[in-house]
Amino acid sequence: MRKIDIIPSKSDAHRALICAALSTKPCQVICQAESKDIAATRKCLEAVKDGREEMYCGESGSTLRFLLPVMGALGHKASFYPEGRLPERPLSPLYEELMAHGCRLSPQGSVPFTIEGQLVSGTYHIPGDVSSQYISGLLFALPVLAGDSRIVVKGVLQSKSYVDMTVKVLMDFGIEIIETAEGYLVPGGQAYQGPENYQVEGDWSNGCFWLAAGALLPEGIRVKGLNPHSLQGDKQILEILAQFGAVVNIEEEGITVKKRGAERHPHRCEADSRHGAGFGSGRGGRHRKDRNCQRREAQNQRERPA
């Protein structure tokens, strides 16, 4: 059996690094590998710690959208230097909400893109059909403000699983977020208090490829580093593979997926093995096989539950 060590989840790493940077207690984020996006978030957070304004976020939209509200909450003037097509990507309606709550920002598309001023508590309105990163960014920032805040989500929140991940990591760092019928209530005046160590969980989106490949192999593939209790939406691959007949085992050593044994499918319709290739290739052979198929299918229909 082939064994795969999965790469860390970028989504979990971004969130953990931000919470650790805001924590009043030292917290080491354990991340076995670092992508360009994760490195961008880490370097920007290090710049804040060193009192620097320049933030080189590369092409990471998560870094920019998460840290803009955080910089506003800290009252830290920051100039972001996005690369590639990131400057072309929209920031509305987060842009307008930050402006309405005490921040001053460069025109959208500017490089560098600067934020300054002090974010204040209040009610923030974000449509549910835009990037969930806007909501996550506010959830990181609002707890450290003096007053309570509300995030009103207009319509159905399309990427709720990612916001759920944010809330879960915030809880791990002692932050209370209250989900309401209209969105989220964020009590102010909170302090981040992280664990001594935070282990970044494996990336389910990357693990999906290996798990699907395992479903094609009799010996299977074992993937290590995936959290079976993760809130990552791609964890649904296990249910999908099981529905398609794969054998799925969740064990302490990892998650194993393999091809199920070659037992005969109960509803499969096959040619009678007594007919040779030459006999079955004629018209009469085809008719006999058709009649056999029809009889078997009729029997299967009677045996199937309603």
Side-chain angles (χ1 to χ4, degrees):
M1 178 188 299
R2 185 168 185 179
K3 301 177 182 179
I4 304 294
D5 289 307
I6 215 64
I7 63 175
S9 163
K10 289 197 302 181
S11 299
D12 195 37
H14 282 302
R15 289 159 172 78
L17 287 169
I18 293 171
C19 290
L22 295 171
S23 177
T24 58
K25 297 170 59 177
C27 173
Q28 180 183 5
V29 176
I30 303 171
C31 187
Q32 303 298 339
E34 189 175 75
S35 68
K36 290 182 178 180
D37 286 0
I38 297 173
T41 293
R42 177 181 57 77
K43 291 176 181 178
C44 287
L45 293 170
E46 289 174 352
V48 178
K49 183 178 180 181
D50 295 339
R52 292 182 278 120
E53 294 182 6
E54 296 79 12
M55 305 283 177
Y56 296 94
C57 56
E59 298 184 60
S60 175
S62 297
T63 304
L64 179 61
R65 291 168 172 174
F66 287 165
L67 291 186
L68 278 173
V70 173
M71 296 301 104
L74 297 177
H76 182 92
K77 181 180 179 180
S79 294
F80 288 89
Y81 289 81
E83 299 175 0
R85 300 192 64 180
L86 183 55
E88 304 172 20
R89 294 169 63 181
L91 288 170
S92 295
L94 178 64
Y95 182 92
E96 290 78 11
E97 289 298 300
L98 295 177
M99 292 278 283
H101 289 83
C103 294
R104 299 183 298 277
L105 296 94
S106 301
Q108 294 195 58
S110 300
V111 179
F113 182 82
T114 301
I115 179 171
E116 56 185 327
Q118 177 61 58
L119 192 68
V120 296
S121 57
T123 300
Y124 293 75
H125 295 269
I126 302 291
D129 59 353
V130 298
S131 174
S132 64
Q133 294 172 349
Y134 300 153
I135 297 175
S136 289
L138 291 170
L139 290 174
F140 291 129
L142 298 180
V144 303
L145 300 180
D148 297 350
S149 298
R150 291 189 305 139
I151 301 175
V152 177
V153 180
K154 294 179 285 186
V156 178
L157 181 54
Q158 300 291 341
S159 301
K160 189 175 184 299
S161 63
Y162 286 101
V163 179
D164 289 341
M165 285 184 63
T166 302
V167 173
K168 166 63 169 59
V169 179
L170 287 167
M171 288 176 58
D172 291 340
F173 282 79
I175 297 298
E176 180 186 17
I177 304 292
I178 303 169
E179 187 171 354
T180 66
E182 62 181 4
Y184 299 90
L185 172 63
V186 185
Q190 300 189 63
Y192 281 76
Q193 296 186 5
E196 184 176 349
N197 296 295
Y198 184 98
Q199 176 68 57
V200 175
E201 64 181 46
D203 182 43
W204 274 92
S205 62
N206 181 269
C208 285
F209 297 99
W210 296 107
L211 294 170
L216 303 175
L217 303 174
E219 67 274 16
I221 291 178
R222 175 175 294 164
V223 176
K224 298 187 290 182
L226 292 176
N227 176 10
H229 306 294
S230 174
L231 295 177
Q232 297 180 52
D234 290 316
K235 187 186 71 171
Q236 191 179 5
I237 186 67
L238 295 184
E239 181 181 345
I240 294 173
L241 292 175
Q243 289 175 349
F244 273 85
V247 178
V248 177
N249 291 317
I250 301 175
E251 302 167 317
E252 186 176 348
E253 297 82 4
I255 298 175
T256 303
V257 175
K258 62 181 179 179
K259 182 178 181 180
R260 191 173 293 278
E263 62 269 16
R264 187 171 178 174
H265 193 286
H267 305 311
R268 175 183 257 172
C269 198
E270 298 174 339
D272 194 320
S273 60
R274 293 173 298 176
H275 299 316
F279 185 85
S281 61
R283 182 175 180 181
R286 283 199 301 271
H287 284 177
R288 273 186 284 273
K289 286 188 285 185
D290 289 344
R291 287 194 294 271
N292 287 336
C293 285
Q294 291 168 2
R295 285 195 296 270
R296 292 177 188 174
E297 187 61 28
Q299 181 179 358
N300 286 335
Q301 289 287 349
R302 290 193 296 271
E303 293 174 353
R304 291 172 189 167

